[in-house]
Amino acid sequence: MNQAFYAGISGLQTHQFGIDILADNLSNLNTVGFRGSRTEFASLFETSVAQADGLSNTVGMGARVQATMMETNGGSLYSSDNNSDLAIEGNGWFGIMGHEDPFYTRAGNFTFDANADLVTQGGYRVLGTVGNNIQGNTLTQQILDLPLGDVNQQVELRFPSELNFPVQPTTLAEFSGNLGPSDGPVKMSAWLVSPNNESNRLTLTFTKNPTPPAVGSSQWDIVATVTDSNGLVTYDTQTGTATFSDTGSIIGFNIPNVNSDGASVAIDLGQNYDGVTAMPSFDFSSASSTDGILAGFLTGYRIDQGANIVASFSNGQSSAVGKIGIFHFKNEQGLDRLSGTRFTESANSGEKYFFQDPDGNNILGANLWTNKLETSNISMEVSMTEMIIMQRAYGANAKSITTGDELIQKALQMDA
């Protein structure tokens, strides 16, 4: 009879613990990135009891909590208006830096703080790879997709709040179009970026030479002039020629580079019919393209689906300056829980690692969604059903204590 007390009390304690776990799960139904727990029970102090047929049976002294296991299934994804909100589809964890050691979380509700650091809602900095393309407050290299560094060398993603995109002077101007039925002069022009971050104008003036270089061809004399945007200052003037076939395709051209306020600019008129043509049966047309980019200042940071931290500039340019790491573990259930959304590495989880492609490059190993967040992975229907089971088990254990007490009372009355 005393055993009924032990079994009932241990059952009350373990099922109360199970109820507390379920209650915590249910209370975090709307917590971003929450990972629920599942309670596992085991028998307490089992002993063998001999039976009349020579066999034995086991009798325990109740139940105990053996473990609380993490639910590893993913939560649902829902849309967000914040570009720095992220969700992982598949296995993987974001890394965040704690006071001393890193934490791991599925909660991707990040933000850029006043210092342009990528942080969690609690102020912990997110871990990843920082590009080597920033020197001081100047971008030194424009990168489309930043490679992910070594898993053990991930650092806090911190970026300058002021960043400049340096001027890239024009070095090449390409022209296309048709000189038309007139013998000239006709003009084609293009805008150039100077080393002083000014827009200069390059103008080509074509005039047909009355004396062709050979039978079945024509020659046009060219004057190339570089001025400022208002045409008030002339930086350079060069002369050259272009030769065309009798069908109007360009055979060759000879134009020296022009000086655009300190930058040497090459001029390309194309070849065959791909470029400038001289077909009198078609009207005059002109088009041009140049390299070179005006300087710009930082307008903000955003995150793309490749996990790149992208700096955007006022000149319309952008560049990756960092990359968020997605960490993986051989046994996710072995992570030590700090809270419902934060975990730490343990001996049971194994060491963190990155997936790699066939060439040995580190990759994310999961799909990353921007403007989305992952909800709790708790199912309310399942949790409520388990709660009913736990409550009935709790009541049954309470009843076993009451029954044991009644049996003792009857035994005492019999002795009297």
Side-chain angles (χ1 to χ4, degrees):
M1 287 182 289
N2 288 336
Q3 186 170 331
F5 284 107
Y6 299 139
I9 291 172
S10 65
L12 288 176
Q13 291 175 331
T14 54
H15 285 90
Q16 180 61 64
F17 184 83
I19 290 172
D20 292 342
I21 293 294
L22 289 171
D24 182 60
N25 288 345
L26 288 168
S27 67
N28 284 280
L29 277 174
N30 296 318
T31 300
V32 174
F34 180 80
R35 280 290 179 265
S37 297
R38 182 179 70 253
T39 309
E40 294 184 356
F41 301 109
S43 182
L44 183 65
F45 300 131
E46 284 190 352
T47 58
S48 296
V49 178
Q51 298 182 166
D53 55 7
L55 300 177
S56 63
N57 198 358
T58 58
V59 177
M61 298 292 289
R64 61 181 175 87
V65 176
Q66 179 168 286
T68 53
M69 306 298 293
M70 181 206 309
E71 297 282 3
T72 58
N73 57 295
S76 301
L77 306 184
Y78 67 93
S79 299
S80 164
D81 294 332
N82 187 0
N83 177 261
S84 59
D85 283 342
L86 306 175
I88 299 173
E89 183 182 25
N91 294 330
W93 299 79
F94 297 114
I96 58 177
M97 192 62 200
H99 300 295
E100 295 181 359
D101 299 315
F103 303 151
Y104 302 95
T105 183
R106 295 281 295 194
N109 48 341
F110 304 137
T111 186
F112 289 99
D113 65 9
N115 298 319
D117 301 339
L118 186 62
V119 298
T120 67
Q121 297 298 315
Y124 295 103
R125 293 188 179 92
V126 182
L127 298 177
T129 299
V130 174
N132 294 320
N133 57 340
I134 295 178
Q135 185 173 358
N137 293 100
T138 301
L139 185 75
T140 59
Q141 182 184 3
Q142 198 170 5
I143 299 175
L144 179 63
D145 185 25
L146 189 71
L148 191 60
D150 185 82
V151 68
N152 293 313
Q153 296 179 353
Q154 301 301 289
V155 296
E156 298 174 0
L157 293 173
R158 309 183 68 178
F159 306 100
S161 56
E162 295 182 2
L163 185 63
N164 299 315
F165 191 102
V167 61
Q168 297 180 12
T170 300
T171 59
L172 175 64
E174 298 177 309
F175 291 86
S176 62
N178 185 50
L179 298 177
S182 170
D183 289 344
V186 293
K187 296 182 178 181
M188 295 182 177
S189 62
W191 288 103
L192 311 178
V193 177
S194 78
N196 297 318
N197 200 38
E198 300 289 342
S199 293
N200 296 332
R201 180 182 286 275
L202 168 62
T203 303
L204 302 183
T205 302
F206 294 81
T207 304
K208 189 172 183 180
N209 192 315
T211 303
V215 177
S217 63
S218 63
Q219 179 175 295
W220 291 68
D221 297 325
I222 304 172
V223 178
T225 306
V226 180
T227 65
D228 65 356
S229 59
N230 298 317
L232 301 178
V233 178
T234 299
Y235 294 109
D236 194 14
T237 299
Q238 298 289 341
T239 60
T241 61
T243 305
F244 299 87
S245 69
D246 56 354
T247 59
S249 64
I250 190 168
I251 297 174
F253 58 90
N254 180 20
I255 309 174
N257 287 10
V258 292
N259 174 39
S260 175
D261 195 14
S264 179
V265 181
I267 299 173
D268 185 6
L269 301 183
Q271 57 184 353
N272 298 324
Y273 295 99
D274 184 15
V276 177
T277 59
M279 295 182 288
S281 57
F282 294 92
D283 293 335
F284 171 79
S285 62
S286 174
S288 63
S289 63
T290 60
D291 60 1
I293 303 174
L294 288 168
F297 57 86
L298 179 71
T299 58
Y301 293 101
R302 60 182 177 85
I303 304 172
D304 66 17
Q305 288 198 203
N308 292 293
I309 311 295
V310 179
S312 300
F313 298 90
S314 59
N315 57 0
Q317 299 297 312
S318 61
S319 174
V321 293
K323 197 181 193 76
I324 299 171
I326 296 182
F327 299 86
H328 299 270
F329 299 89
K330 292 183 179 180
N331 178 25
E332 292 186 343
Q333 287 189 333
L335 292 170
D336 286 339
R337 180 185 294 265
L338 295 178
S339 69
T341 59
R342 297 199 303 270
F343 298 81
T344 60
E345 181 181 314
S346 72
N348 290 330
S349 67
E351 295 182 353
K352 58 184 179 293
Y353 67 93
F354 286 151
F355 280 105
Q356 294 184 333
D357 64 14
D359 297 326
N361 300 312
N362 293 328
I363 58 176
L364 299 179
N367 293 326
L368 183 72
W369 293 94
T370 59
N371 294 100
K372 288 185 181 294
L373 289 172
E374 181 183 8
T375 64
S376 165
N377 66 344
I378 295 301
S379 168
M380 184 173 66
E381 294 82 0
V382 173
S383 295
M384 290 301 296
T385 302
E386 292 180 349
M387 180 69 81
I388 294 171
I389 295 172
M390 287 284 184
Q391 287 176 328
R392 291 184 175 177
Y394 185 91
N397 281 282
K399 183 64 175 176
S400 69
I401 296 174
T402 304
T403 303
D405 180 64
E406 291 176 353
L407 290 174
I408 290 177
Q409 293 297 327
K410 289 184 178 181
L412 291 174
Q413 291 171 5
M414 293 173 61
D415 183 66

